[in-house]
Amino acid sequence: QVQLQESGPGLVKPSQTLSLTCTVSGGSINSGSHYWTWIRQPAGKGLEWIGRIYTSGSANYNPSLKSRVTISVDTSKNQFSLKLSSVNAADTAVYYCARDSSIFGVVIPTYYWGQGTLVTVSS
Amino acid sequence: DIQMTQSPSSLSASVGDRVTITCRASQSINSYLNWYQHKPGKAPKLLIYDASNLETGVPSRFSGSGSGTDFTFTITSLQPEDIATYFCQQYDDLPITFGQGTRLEIK
């Protein structure tokens, strides 16, 4: 059973770079072909898809964040990461990592989720 | 982006009640819609995929229907353990987008 766990600083100063890591357990990040995804949810608001990286290394980002986001994979640590630059208070949110899975040939883009980690942007 | 309008935003119902939540897409998403249950501090759990398919192990009181732009999620007989936030997700096109969520409470 795949499990995902987000980690990283809970407090980031405005204008700095938010960096989070998602550690994958229950399987190798290199095993099979998968999308590794980041999603966030500001308090009181809906979920926002940030972007994803495929096993091959190709990435897709939400156009609203594309200029500030980088998602990467570290196979040696069985982790993938999110970097969001030039943060401000609007980036305060619970951040989730997720992975796809296939059900009877249907690819569910965010089947496995982490529990989420709160990141607050404040000086 | 495809906008997902979910309603209601909150709902209070009694044990045994039938509960219905709707999601409307701003354009056709075929059947590329999932429904999730989210309890505080836990990972969201997939309940319904492809609009109407019940994920393995999910109780049959949960169901989904619809295609194109209008979708419905139903709990036929609300149980105390169903207290959670429910949200829809479209994956017909990038960026993947979500409904605002429905917070379900017991009366």
Side-chain angles (χ1 to χ4, degrees):
Chain A
Q1 176 78 347
V2 174
Q3 292 186 314
L4 307 171
Q5 180 65 59
E6 307 87 351
S7 60
L11 181 64
V12 181
K13 288 181 166 46
S15 80
Q16 293 190 342
T17 295
L18 178 160
S19 295
L20 294 175
T21 296
C22 182
T23 299
V24 180
S25 59
S28 170
I29 203 167
N30 259 339
S31 175
S33 300
H34 295 291
Y35 286 108
W36 306 94
T37 298
W38 287 97
I39 295 155
R40 70 180 184 178
Q41 185 170 32
K45 296 187 178 182
L47 292 154
E48 180 179 33
W49 183 85
I50 299 171
R52 68 185 185 185
I53 188 165
Y54 195 53
T55 303
S56 63
S58 65
N60 305 108
Y61 299 124
N62 193 319
S64 67
L65 298 168
K66 187 174 183 177
S67 64
R68 299 194 290 133
V69 174
T70 302
I71 297 175
S72 59
V73 173
D74 187 338
T75 55
S76 66
K77 295 182 179 178
N78 225 38
Q79 296 175 335
F80 64 106
S81 299
L82 168 70
K83 291 189 186 301
L84 181 66
S85 63
S86 305
V87 297
N88 57 58
D91 295 309
T92 294
V94 176
Y95 285 76
Y96 297 91
C97 59
R99 200 210 82 177
D100 66 307
S101 186
S102 178
I103 306 175
F104 299 117
V106 177
V107 177
I108 308 300
T110 53
Y111 183 87
Y112 298 104
W113 294 63
Q115 295 181 329
T117 187
L118 175 63
V119 179
T120 301
V121 178
S122 174
S123 55
Chain B
D1 297 6
I2 297 174
Q3 306 302 316
M4 302 301 296
T5 303
Q6 183 175 342
S7 63
S9 57
S10 64
L11 180 56
S12 183
S14 300
V15 172
D17 280 356
R18 181 184 183 93
V19 169
T20 298
I21 300 169
T22 63
C23 256
R24 172 165 288 178
S26 59
Q27 64 189 66
S28 176
I29 57 171
N30 299 292
S31 296
Y32 296 116
L33 182 112
N34 299 324
W35 290 98
Y36 292 83
Q37 177 190 68
H38 192 194
K39 296 183 177 181
K42 294 197 171 183
K45 176 185 177 183
L46 179 73
L47 300 180
I48 304 288
Y49 65 97
D50 254 17
S52 60
N53 294 291
L54 189 69
E55 164 64 332
T56 301
V58 174
S60 59
R61 64 179 181 273
F62 296 98
S63 65
S65 64
S67 65
T69 60
D70 293 312
F71 301 86
T72 301
F73 172 80
T74 301
I75 307 173
T76 53
S77 178
L78 185 66
Q79 300 300 304
E81 61 266 31
D82 299 337
I83 298 313
T85 295
Y86 294 84
F87 61 88
C88 61
Q89 173 204 60
Q90 71 79 21
Y91 60 107
D92 179 71
D93 196 12
L94 295 181
I96 290 169
T97 51
F98 301 86
Q100 287 292 101
T102 297
R103 187 173 179 176
L104 181 55
E105 300 174 338
I106 294 282
K107 272 185 189 175

